[in-house]
Every structure is written in C-alpha cells, then in structure tokens.
Amino acid sequence: MSVAVQLTYAMAKELGAQRLELEGAKTVADVLRMTRERFAADPARYDELTRVAAVAVNGVLVHYKRGAKTPVRDGDTVAFVKAAAGG
Amino acid sequence: MIKGYAGRVLEVDLRARTFSFAPLDEEIARLYIGGKGYGTRLLYDRTPAGIDPLGPENLLIFATGPLNGSVAPQSNRFAVICKSPLTGGIGNATCGGSFALGMKKAGIDILIVTHRADRPLRLEIDGDRDAVEFLDAGDLWGQGTYATQKLLSRKHQHAVIGPAGENLVLFAGIVSNERIAGRTGVGAVMGSKLLKAVSVRGSRKLDMEDPEKFKAYTKEVRKLFEDHPVLGESMKRYGTGGIVNTTNGRNILPTRNFQKGHFDRAMDISGEFLEDHELKGVKTSCIHCPVTCGRDVEVEGVGVVKGPEYETLALLGSNLEIGDIKKVSEWNYHADDLGMDTISLGATLSFAMELVERGMLDATLHFGDQTGITELIQDIGHRRGLGAELADGTKRLAAKYGGHDFAMHVKGLELSAYDPRGSFAQGVEYATTNRGGCHVQGASMYMESVGPLTINPQNLKLKADIPIMQQNIACAINSMVLCIFTTYGMIPKAVHEMDPSSFTHRALAFAFENLPGWMLRGSMRIKGKPMLWFEKWLTYITGTTFSSGHLQEIGARIFNLERMYNLREGLSAADDTLPPRILHESTFPDMDSGHPLHLLLPRYYKKRGWSADGVPLPRTLEKLQVRV
Ligand code: SF4
C-alpha cells in the first residue's frame, strides 16, 4: 500500500525530493510521523516548515474529516498545503 | 468638481477624426465611482441593444477612477469597457502599467473612442494643450506590443494592441508596459476600430480633499503591506505563482483540460521554482506598488521579459500537462507580444488537445507535448490555419467540432485556474459573474480554498453569500480603479501566523462557516466609518465618506447594471451555468458528482433580489438606483 506525499517547496528542497512515496501508512498521523522521520537529522526543521501548513488528503483538508485519525488508502495523495494568494 | 477626479471626459471619433472634451458627469461618478462602473453606465446608455461588438457602433471606453494618479499602492490601473466579442455581453478588463497615470496627468478621467478609422491610426493626446492628434499607424500595424511601445514616444504613456487585436482574435487584450487588460476581447474591439495605440501625456496633479491625511495614512499602509504575509512576503517573493503548490494540494489546479485537479509536476511550474531557478533578479511592479508581484525571466533568443503569472502557469502549464517553466515563459512572452489573454489561450489549446485525443479534431496537438505550440500561438495571433479557428475561443470551437461537455467556459469566457469542484463559492461566482468565467471579479476562492482562514469549500454553507459580497466589493474596487489583489491584505497577519490545526484557528474557521448568510452580508452593509485602507483613501481624496456599506451598495449597483446590460443583449439565466464537466464529473474520490450549482443558484438569485429566472426585481433596481 503506497501513499504519495506532496511536500511544500521548502520541505522538498530540504529533502531533495518533490514527493515521497510511503508504504504502510494507515492514517494521516502515520503519514505525518513517517514524513517527520525523513527529517531525522533535524526534526525541529520539520516542525518549523509545517507549522503553518494544513494537511489535505486528495485535496480535502483533514480537519473536515477526522483530523490525524483520517484513514489513508492505497493511491491517496496527502499534501502539506500553505495558505497563499495568486491571481 | 468632486476632488480626485480630473473632471473631464474626452470623446474621440475615429471616423470623423474629431474630438471633444466634456465635463465628467458628477451624478454618474457619485453612483458608480469611475472605472468599470462609470464605463458600464456609459456603454448601457450610449449603445443600442444588439450591436455587433466588432462593428463601429461599439464603444471602447478607457476609464480611470479617483484613486488613479495618486501614490496609493496598487492604485495605478485603468479599466476598459465595451461590448465583448467573446461573450456578446458586457466586456471589461483592467490593467496596470502606466496608462492610468498618464490619463490622470492629462486631466482625463474617461476616454470614449467611437466609430472606426478608415486605416490604421494611433492617437497622441496632450492633456496640457487639450490636443488630440490622429496619426497614421501603418508602420506599426503588424508589430508586437513590445516593439510598438519601444517605437512610440517616451514622453507619453501608452495602451497598445498587438497582432492579435489587429486580427480580431476574440481574446485579444490591450497592453500597457508589460501588463495586459486581457479578458473578454477588449483588444479585438480596439483592433476592429483600426486603432493601434493610444498615447497620453500631461502634467496635471491630482487634487485631493485632504492631502495631509492621505499622505500620512499611505505611509502607514505601505508599512502594513510590507509586513503582510501575502502582500509583503509571498507575493513579493514568489509572485502570484506562489499559489501553484497550494491549488495543487487542494486538488483545484486545472490539469489536462480540467480532467484533474492535481499535476505531478506542479512544483516545476511554481513561483518558488521560478524564484530559485529562472528569475533574473528583477521583480517588477505597477507604478507605486510595493508588492512587486511581477517577475522578469529570460526567454531564449528574446532576452529578459515579463514572466508568467499564476493563471498562465496553470493554463499554459498544468492544464496542457507541461511542466517546463522555460516553455511556459516562452509562450507567455509570445502571447504578451501578440497581445492576447493567456487564460483563454491556454484553455482553448487544452480544449483542442482533448478534441484531438477523442478523435474529433485532426491536428498534431497532444497533452504533455510541447511540439508545435509556439508556432500555433503565433498562428492564433495571426489567424493562420488551425490558429484561425482557435482564435475564436473555446465556445465557438465547440460549436464547430462538438465537445460541449468539456468546453471549459462560462458565457464564452474561458474558466480561470481554480477548479470550482473544490471551491463551490468560486463556482457560483464563475456562473454568475457578468463577464463570464473569471476569478478576479470576486475571488471567492480566497475565502474557501487558498487563503489563511477558509471555510469548508465543499458544502453549501455561505456558498451563495460569499460570491455576492465578493462580486460587489470587486465591482467597487474595479471602479476606483484599484488592484483586486488588495483584498488579500484584508486578513490580518496574526491569522496567517496561526497553526491551522490549533484550537483558535479552528474555532475561528468554525465561527466563520456557521455565520448565518444574512449576518455576513448584513455586517458588510453597515454604513459607518471608513475602516479599510481603500475606504480611507477614497474618503481622504474625495471628501465623501466611504465605508464597507457604501462600497457594497455601489458594487451591487454596478453588478446589477451589468446584469441588465447582459439581459438586454440576450443573455439569460441559462447562461448562468458551469461547463458540464464541472457539473457532472467528479475529481474528488469522496464526491459522486460535480459542482452543486443547481442547489446554490436559486439561493443566489433570491439573495440578490432577483426573480427565479435571474432577472433583477424592480424593487431591487429601485433600491440601488439602477436606471434602465
Ligand atoms: S499587486 Fe501586482 S498587479 Fe497589483 S498593482 Fe501591485 S504589482 Fe500590480
């Protein structure tokens, strides 16, 4: 079972990868924990980079679902999303 | 004369080669401010129903407002108003650059261009001498917008068209410096009049009611903007392209002609990527604007030119499944130089690609394939071969080849880059906005999908209220004429800095989402003291008090007048819709269908004070003083 993680630009730069493919995650909490583990050298950096980022599963923010308990399925995309403005 | 206005309307007759100055109509200014509002009133009053948008009867109106000519940030924009050749309804677009400043310095609030020249002309207006020269533009005809502006006098400010406008591409725009009044085909109307350029100069100063207060307060606003996470940070650093990763994460980034809302290579076309890899260190800005959301990039064989904005990155990038920012920048340059709207261009190209994919059009065009696109863009601008067909936009292409179900336009205007299936209020806004499928006539998505404090974008709560409030304020802003991005500053820094999973943030979002619609709209309607910067600027400049309530009322007046114009021109409730793909195909695993417009539209009509078939009720028009 594989879940794709869409990182923010700053996270991607830090990890040297635009996306992560995570095996075995069953909930959003698992995804967050496993993503944080990728920042093993500096977990505080993960906390800093995700502080104002919301989390979405397939585009829907998890706080409209079950928060960190939201289940994830094979093929889902979990994204770290920052507020932004464009036009 | 009300302070803040130059007090003059210049009317130019291209057929007779005559001009006249008339005093600004203060009653119209009081009711409609200026810009888009004033221009719509003129268009309604001065043109009969049913005219050919590309015929000599159409008016081409350049309109400024009381903020233009001041040093207020984001305030140097002008509006262009005419009947749209793309939609057959109201046409308008606003543009930065320097032309608005030039008009005000020349002592002109409104410029009305009538009839058609007998050969290509350009106008040179000297406001100090009250002179208008009708100059031959034969040598400029065929030149791109960059070259044209280089060849024109440096003492003037210019508004020009490129080959797209000359060749009546239905989504051609009008360019000032590197900025474009892109939407609804205003450039084609200018081209139909054989008018290549308008150049304007003068040395008049803006007369304000309270210049001291204005100056001191503007200093404060500059500081506020500098400290603001959007206006002073993300837009400044990454331009409007800083939103690509956000819309992608929310599954609303148009991809493959809106077949999907997520593009795997989105990061490669993002504002952050541009900043890291392509930006030549130059961030550009409209006059007096500290936000500097423009980006310069290097295009091979051309040099350093304006880079792509969010809409272009999406419509010419993800929507064509192109993840190469260099290519998108190159196409953006060609579109700018030809003088055409990249939103309509990108959407028409993606529609043609899907037609080919389904075997409905025979051409070598494929999603994800850059081959031949540069040449095709040139062909569109010059109306050659297949390009001549694409030059008429998505709606007409669908009429010829079929594919109505996936023709991504509203009223003929191609959808911009926020997929409404993940942004329901934005969908209502697209469906009802008078000029068609556009996001900058309200920007509801900021309140539900991309901003720092958003409500659930996929339920029915407030989804008919937010568009009304947003469309009204956008109408007022486009009449001042201020940049619509100013509204992004309305949510304070403290909210941006909150952790979205924190209790406070979630409590705020919950309270917002559960606010009764009447309360939300009612609170905006209170006529009190000016609170926001643009309310204060208007008040200090004109001497008349403007508060949120005043602007909501003026905005509603403009919106209803536009609606009456569209109804007069034969549009109806049937045109208040979304593309069938948006209504019936889901891009979210948990949704079995598309956008629930059928549930929201009746609510919207009712809250607007319209009949069940979308006609403003007499009492609504009377209350808003909309004379028809
Ligand atoms: S925010 Fe950008 S588009 Fe708006 S006025 Fe400033 S530079 Fe121009």
Side-chain angles (χ1 to χ4, degrees):
Chain A
M1 177 172 130
S2 172
V3 171
V5 182
Q6 182 202 314
L7 302 166
T8 65
Y9 191 85
M11 290 168 84
K13 225 175 144 180
E14 201 84 9
L15 293 181
Q18 290 195 358
R19 318 157 55 82
L20 304 177
E21 292 292 333
L22 300 180
E23 300 290 334
K26 291 198 171 63
T27 63
V28 166
D30 294 339
V31 173
L32 300 187
R33 180 180 43 78
M34 291 160 96
T35 307
R36 194 168 189 272
E37 281 165 10
R38 300 292 177 105
F39 286 79
D42 188 3
R45 184 76 180 130
Y46 167 89
D47 299 338
E48 189 189 326
L49 293 176
T50 56
R51 199 180 64 80
V52 290
V55 177
V57 176
N58 300 323
V60 178
L61 294 188
V62 295
H63 54 258
Y64 302 131
K65 297 182 155 211
R66 291 175 54 204
K69 290 185 188 145
T70 305
V72 290
R73 290 169 302 205
D74 191 24
D76 279 351
T77 298
V78 177
F80 289 89
V81 190
K82 291 183 110 172
Chain B
M1 176 45 55
I2 314 169
K3 297 278 172 67
Y5 296 86
R8 297 197 300 177
V9 176
L10 169 62
E11 181 158 341
V12 173
D13 182 338
L14 293 174
R15 184 177 59 197
R17 298 198 181 198
T18 55
F19 67 93
S20 59
F21 286 95
L24 185 84
D25 187 321
E26 290 198 24
E27 181 64 2
I28 300 183
R30 192 179 64 76
L31 290 171
Y32 295 92
I33 307 181
K36 171 172 118 155
Y38 198 111
T40 306
R41 184 72 263 177
L42 282 180
L43 186 74
Y44 191 99
D45 291 342
R46 300 245 339 236
T47 54
I51 58 168
D52 173 4
L54 297 177
E57 309 83 10
N58 201 359
L59 299 181
L60 183 67
I61 301 165
F62 294 84
T64 65
L67 293 191
N68 305 138
S70 77
V71 295
Q74 302 181 311
S75 73
N76 274 294
R77 297 182 73 81
F78 62 99
V80 187
I81 304 96
C82 56
K83 182 173 181 179
S84 165
L86 197 58
T87 69
I90 188 77
N92 57 53
T94 63
C95 181
S98 58
F99 190 70
L101 184 61
M103 276 182 71
K104 287 303 274 285
K105 282 189 153 199
I108 300 162
D109 296 304
I110 311 286
L111 164 64
I112 309 170
V113 181
T114 69
H115 299 115
R116 173 188 282 157
D118 57 1
R119 61 197 156 86
L121 283 185
R122 66 184 181 89
L123 298 174
E124 253 186 37
I125 301 165
D126 185 330
D128 292 343
R129 291 192 298 115
D130 292 350
V132 177
E133 287 187 79
F134 298 80
L135 301 167
D136 189 280
D139 53 338
L140 294 176
W141 207 249
Q143 298 276 6
T145 62
Y146 280 94
T148 301
Q149 292 183 90
K150 257 192 206 144
L151 290 165
L152 292 171
S153 141
R154 285 181 173 221
K155 292 184 187 142
H156 292 76
Q157 310 301 336
H158 314 288
V160 308
I161 56 168
E166 297 168 13
N167 293 306
L168 311 182
V169 172
L170 295 188
F171 45 87
I174 297 174
V175 172
S176 173
N177 300 358
E178 291 182 319
R179 301 280 172 166
I180 181 164
R183 307 232 70 193
T184 71
V186 294
V189 174
M190 188 156 159
S192 75
K193 296 188 174 303
L194 296 181
L195 180 61
K196 178 70 181 177
V198 183
S199 306
V200 63
R201 67 180 287 197
S203 58
R204 296 179 196 223
K205 293 223 163 20
L206 191 71
D207 192 16
M208 296 184 193
E209 182 67 24
D210 196 337
E212 291 312 315
K213 260 194 185 158
F214 173 83
K215 200 171 149 195
Y217 182 62
T218 299
K219 223 169 153 185
E220 270 178 49
V221 177
R222 283 190 168 265
K223 179 90 190 60
L224 187 137
F225 277 20
E226 268 159 32
D227 286 347
H228 194 270
V230 169
L231 301 178
E233 172 64 19
S234 75
M235 281 181 82
K236 203 180 182 87
R237 280 187 75 183
Y238 307 123
T240 55
I243 201 174
V244 169
N245 291 317
T246 304
T247 51
N248 198 40
R250 297 299 294 263
N251 202 28
I252 58 170
L253 178 70
T255 304
R256 211 177 166 88
N257 195 34
F258 286 81
Q259 291 180 45
K260 299 188 286 181
H262 185 90
F263 181 45
D264 285 347
R265 295 188 61 195
M267 208 169 271
D268 294 340
I269 54 165
S270 65
E272 292 93 327
F273 187 93
L274 198 64
E275 167 85 2
D276 253 9
H277 296 82
E278 302 298 323
L279 189 64
K280 289 291 138 194
V282 187
K283 296 178 180 178
T284 61
S285 174
C286 303
I287 291 181
H288 302 317
C289 182
V291 179
T292 57
C293 75
R295 298 297 161 265
D296 273 2
V297 293
E298 184 150 17
V299 169
E300 221 179 290
V302 176
V304 176
V305 289
K306 187 193 99 185
E309 297 181 25
Y310 168 65
E311 293 295 329
T312 313
L313 292 164
L315 272 310
L316 288 175
S318 57
N319 206 34
L320 306 184
E321 291 200 318
I322 298 293
D324 178 348
I325 207 160
K326 276 188 191 296
K327 265 291 156 203
V328 177
S329 299
E330 182 190 323
W331 297 337
N332 178 60
Y333 161 74
H334 287 291
D336 279 352
D337 194 42
L338 290 160
M340 55 189 176
D341 173 25
T342 50
I343 301 179
S344 289
L345 171 68
T348 307
L349 284 169
S350 68
F351 178 62
M353 284 177 179
E354 190 162 347
L355 284 175
V356 172
E357 189 175 72
R358 290 167 178 253
M360 298 162 76
L361 172 69
D362 183 19
T364 44
L365 267 177
H366 306 285
F367 288 111
D369 184 357
Q370 308 172 358
T371 320
I373 302 287
T374 308
E375 294 72 19
L376 183 54
I377 291 173
Q378 284 292 336
D379 286 347
I380 293 170
H382 290 95
R383 277 195 178 272
R384 295 185 295 235
L386 177 66
E389 298 191 58
L390 270 61
D392 285 338
T394 306
K395 184 180 169 185
R396 287 164 180 83
L397 206 57
K400 179 160 183 192
Y401 291 100
H404 168 70
D405 288 353
F406 53 92
M408 308 307 292
H409 69 87
V410 173
K411 301 182 174 73
L413 186 71
E414 287 75 8
L415 280 197
S416 38
Y418 300 90
D419 189 325
R421 285 168 289 193
S423 201
F424 287 179
Q426 186 58 53
V428 174
E429 186 184 314
Y430 281 146
T432 54
T433 285
N434 294 303
R435 78 175 185 182
C438 185
H439 65 296
V440 288
Q441 303 293 304
S444 297
M445 77 292 173
Y446 196 61
M447 320 277 276
E448 57 174 356
S449 309
V450 294
L453 185 69
T454 54
I455 59 172
N456 186 340
Q458 291 178 306
N459 63 26
L460 303 184
K461 287 182 190 170
L462 296 181
K463 304 306 182 296
D465 300 277
I466 288 176
I468 294 176
M469 204 173 79
Q470 294 293 101
Q471 286 168 330
N472 289 351
I473 190 65
C475 277
I477 283 175
N478 288 326
S479 301
M480 298 176 188
V481 179
L482 196 61
C483 175
I484 191 73
F485 296 162
T486 209
T487 54
Y488 298 149
M490 285 162 64
I491 298 185
K493 186 177 177 178
V495 176
H496 284 266
E497 288 176 343
M498 278 180 196
D499 175 352
S501 58
S502 68
F503 175 77
T504 326
H505 190 277
R506 291 177 62 178
L508 271 177
F510 180 83
F512 176 23
E513 184 171 326
N514 288 288
L515 208 63
W518 60 265
M519 201 184 274
L520 179 68
R521 285 180 295 116
S523 66
M524 297 296 291
R525 281 208 293 259
I526 296 168
K527 286 184 182 164
K529 283 189 174 168
M531 304 285 281
L532 290 167
W533 48 95
F534 45 84
E535 295 162 9
K536 289 190 181 176
W537 281 332
L538 272 180
T539 305
Y540 298 154
I541 289 177
T542 64
T544 306
T545 301
F546 285 92
S547 65
S548 152
H550 295 98
L551 293 179
Q552 280 290 321
E553 183 181 76
I554 292 170
R557 179 178 301 132
I558 297 166
F559 194 85
N560 277 275
L561 179 64
E562 284 185 323
R563 178 76 179 181
M564 293 310 290
Y565 180 85
N566 276 358
L567 294 172
R568 189 186 84 174
E569 298 304 318
L571 280 82
S572 70
D575 298 292
D576 295 337
T577 188
L578 291 166
R581 162 161 290 161
I582 298 292
L583 295 175
H584 307 303
E585 293 175 24
S586 172
T587 40
F588 287 84
D590 297 344
M591 261 168 80
D592 9 307
S593 188
H595 187 283
L597 186 67
H598 63 291
L599 299 175
L600 289 165
L601 202 55
R603 294 185 193 188
Y604 174 92
Y605 283 173
K606 199 166 171 210
K607 288 166 198 262
R608 270 275 178 215
W610 295 356
S611 68
D613 52 358
V615 178
L617 297 169
R619 66 165 184 271
T620 303
L621 297 178
E622 198 179 321
K623 199 167 123 211
L624 291 170
Q625 298 178 66
V626 178
R627 177 179 42 77
V628 285

